[in-house]
């Protein structure tokens, strides 16, 4: 029984793998990914295995296979430079939506997917961020909110293409003394060649694979 939900993840490739922020996967009795099915019902997929990046706030999840389910991601991980001025958008499940839907100590199985957009302010490398692990970041113009950690940060120019282009993974935000807020995302262009053991190939090779064959 699901009593609460918090955090965001998304499928990549066509073999039942997903990405999220590493800090989202805190110890839990039954970690799972919820997905809206074609008949407008929510399905829970158990996380069978996790392979975190050694330094960045990113982890790969292997999701329990479902009989007859055809895995196919709507995202791709392109090559090329991404950085300051690029418009982005993301979808996530902020904590505020979770709190709206909790009744009598139970979370209703209707988490609302929230849209956010903005622009990349700058690329950051080896600049420590409070309470956020890693070294390769985008600084974002908008805060998506707690619970959106793990959301895909997408290149807005790829709207209308067969696959939306991944730029990063949302991992947190900062509020400074003047109440100016910014968000942060791990830069996925720096992780294209990462080869998690559970994938058996590079992150880019899996993310850009669009059919269920090997």
């Amino acid at each position: 029984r699901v009593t609460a939900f918090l955090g965001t993840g998304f499928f990549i490739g066509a073999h039942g793998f997903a990405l999220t922020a590493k800090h989202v996967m805190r110890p839990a009795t039954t970690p799972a990914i919820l997905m809206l099915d074609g008949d407008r019902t929510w399905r829970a997929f158990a996380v069978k295995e996790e392979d975190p990046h050694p330094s960045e706030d990113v982890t790969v999840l292997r999701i329990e296979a479902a009989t007859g389910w055809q895995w196919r991601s709507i995202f791709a991980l392109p090559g090329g430079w991404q950085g300051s001025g690029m418009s982005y958008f993301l979808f996530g499940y902020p904590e505020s939506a979770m709190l709206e839907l909790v009744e009598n100590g139970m979370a209703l199985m209707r988490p609302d997917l929230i849209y956010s957009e903005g622009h990349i302010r700058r690329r950051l490398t080896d600049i420590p961020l409070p309470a956020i692990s890693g070294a390769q970041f985008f600084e974002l113009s908008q805060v998506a909110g707690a619970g959106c950690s793990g959301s895909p940060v997408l290149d807005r120019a790829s709207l209308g293409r067969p696959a939306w282009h991944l730029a990063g993974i949302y991992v947190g935000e900062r509020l400074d003394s003047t109440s100016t807020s910014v968000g942060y995302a791990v830069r996925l262009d720096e992780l294209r060649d990462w080869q998690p053991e559970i994938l058996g190939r590079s992150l880019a090779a899996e993310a850009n694979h669009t059919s269920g064959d090997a």
Side-chain angles (χ1 to χ4, degrees), residues 9-34:
F10 57 96
F11 290 106
I12 58 169
H15 301 100
F17 294 103
L19 289 177
T20 189
K22 185 163 51 178
H23 75 264
V24 168
M25 297 301 292
R26 295 168 181 164
T29 303
T30 309
I33 282 186
L34 296 176

Side-chain angles (χ1 to χ4, degrees), residues 3 6 16 19 40 58 60 106 122 135 152 186 198 214:
T3 57
L6 189 62
L19 289 177
R40 307 300 296 174
V58 174
V60 179
M106 293 185 62
R122 58 176 173 165
V186 174
I198 62 174

Side-chain angles (χ1 to χ4, degrees), residues 63-126:
I63 308 303
E64 181 178 45
T67 303
W69 186 268
Q70 292 186 340
W71 301 103
R72 183 164 299 180
S73 174
I74 61 173
F75 307 120
L77 185 53
W81 186 88
Q82 297 167 318
S84 301
M86 190 192 89
S87 296
Y88 73 86
F89 67 103
L90 64 80
F91 291 92
Y93 298 102
E95 184 177 19
S96 57
M98 179 194 74
L99 295 175
E100 287 175 349
L101 297 172
V102 173
E103 293 182 358
N104 300 320
M106 293 185 62
L108 304 180
M109 299 295 286
R110 195 184 64 83
D112 292 323
L113 191 61
I114 305 300
Y115 176 86
S116 182
E117 66 178 12
H119 63 271
I120 294 174
R121 287 163 51 101
R122 58 176 173 165
R123 293 167 64 96
L124 299 175
T125 301
D126 293 326

